[in-house]
Amino acid sequence: MVREYNEFRLCREMGLTPRELEEIDGETVQRWLIYLSAEAIARERLAERARRKGGE
């Protein structure tokens, strides 16, 4: 289930079709997943800071 979600997420974020994603080597796919995860964490931290700052 996690694999399917990651594939869906990569296709959506990178503008790829599932077939195009299959043609990309696994190491590149892993790097992209790490990048997208780091980006999501950074967005969440910024949102949390904004919420705290707004509540003061």
Side-chain angles (χ1 to χ4, degrees), residues 3-32:
R3 181 174 177 227
E4 289 85 8
Y5 171 75
N6 284 337
E7 289 174 357
F8 167 78
R9 187 171 163 221
L10 276 175
C11 287
R12 186 186 69 212
E13 296 285 335
M14 305 302 259
L16 300 169
T17 65
R19 184 171 297 256
E20 289 171 326
L21 186 60
E22 286 177 8
E23 294 173 0
I24 299 169
D25 68 282
E27 187 176 326
T28 299
V29 169
Q30 288 301 315
R31 281 196 312 264
W32 287 352

